[in-house]
Amino acid sequence: MPGLSAAQRQQFEEEGFLVVEDVLDPARDFAPVMDEYRAILDGIADTLYAEGAISSRYEHLPFTERITEICAQSKREFSQFFDFSLPQRGVKFDTPMYTGPAMFRLLANPRLLDVVESVIGPEIYSCPVQHTRMKLPKRAVSNPANGLIAKIPWHQDNGVLMPEADESSILTVWMPFNAATIANGCLQVVPRSHRVGLVDHCPVGGTVAIPDKLVEEERALPLPMQPGSILLMTQRTVHSSLDNVTPDQVRISFDLRFQPIGQPTGRPAFAQAGFVARSAAHPESVISDPAVWSRNWLAVRDQLPADDDPAYNRWRADAAVCA
Ligand SMILES: O=C(O)CCC(=O)C(=O)O
Ligand SMILES: [Fe+2]
C-alpha cells in the first residue's frame, strides 16, 4: 500500500491541497474510459448528422478535436452524455448520463484508494458528488454557466454541498485526463485557505461562487498537471479553474470525492449512488460490480422527475454579502 508519505500528508494538512504525481497510469487506467467515450460520441455524431446539424460525422478526427468541432458547428453541447452525475435541475427519465463500467473501475482503482486511505483512513465511501468535465475552447462554449464545459468560479466544495456535510471529511480528488495547462484551463487554489472555515457563497449562473471581495486572488496558485497525477483538496480549500483560451484543446478531467463511511455526503438527492469503495472493518460491504453502481445511478434518475428540484446548496441571492 504505497499511499502518501508522512511529509506529503503533512503538506496536505498545512496547505489544504497536494498534487501527487504518477498515481495512475493513463494508458491502463484512462484508455478504457476513452473507449466508452468514443462510442458515446459516435452516437451523438450519428444523430446530429441525421438531423443535418453537422456536415460530417468527423469520425477520423481525434476525440477532443472531434467533440470541439461537433459542438462549434451544432452550437450545442453534450457534457451531460459523458458525466457520471445528474444535473441539478429538470432531470427527466431519459436525461443522458454516463455510468460505464470503465468509470466505475477508475473510481475503485486500488492505487487511488491507497492515497485516499492515507488521508481519510481505511473505511472509504465514494461520495456521489463527482463529475467528468470537458472544458471546451471558449469559442465552442455555447453556455458559459455550464461548469462541465466552462471555467469554474472561486468556491469551496463545502459550499456546493448541503449543510449536513459541514462536519464530514470529504476529500476531493481531481485528475486531468489529458495535460491540464494554464492555457487550457487548469485548476488554481488559494494555499492555506482551508483553515478559515466555510466562506459565504452566492448563487451565480447555474452554480455558486465566493464573491470576489472575499477571495485573496493575489495568492492564487495555478496547478498545471500531467495525466496520471491527482490533486487532493479538502472540502474547504478555495479553488477555481481558468478559461480554456486555446483554439482547439479540450481539457478533460474527473473530479471524485471520498469520505469516511457513515458521514453525510452533502447531496441527499443522490445518496443512493454513493457506495463503499473499501472497508477493512466490513469488506463484505464493498461494491465491486460496476452494474450495481450503474443501476443505483439510474434509480436516482428515475426518482428525481417525480418531485420538485431538490435543494443542492444553502445560498441565497438576496443575502447582503451577494449585493
Ligand atoms: O474542473 C474544474 O474546472 C473545476 C473542478 C472543481 O471545482 C472540483 O473538482 O471541485
Ligand atoms: Fe470544486
Side-chain angles (χ1 to χ4, degrees), residues 133 135 147 150-152 155 157 172 174 185 187 233 239-241 251 253 255 257:
R133 301 180 202 258
K135 190 186 285 196
K151 70 180 269 185
I152 294 280
H155 67 283
D157 284 353
T172 294
W174 186 95
L187 254 63
M233 291 185 289
H239 61 285
S240 66
S241 67
R251 191 222 72 187
S253 64
D255 47 276
R257 285 165 194 75

Side-chain angles (χ1 to χ4, degrees), residues 1-15:
M1 203 228 36
L4 298 181
S5 67
Q8 284 175 310
R9 276 209 307 274
Q10 190 185 349
Q11 195 183 342
F12 175 68
E13 269 158 37
E14 280 173 9
E15 300 296 322

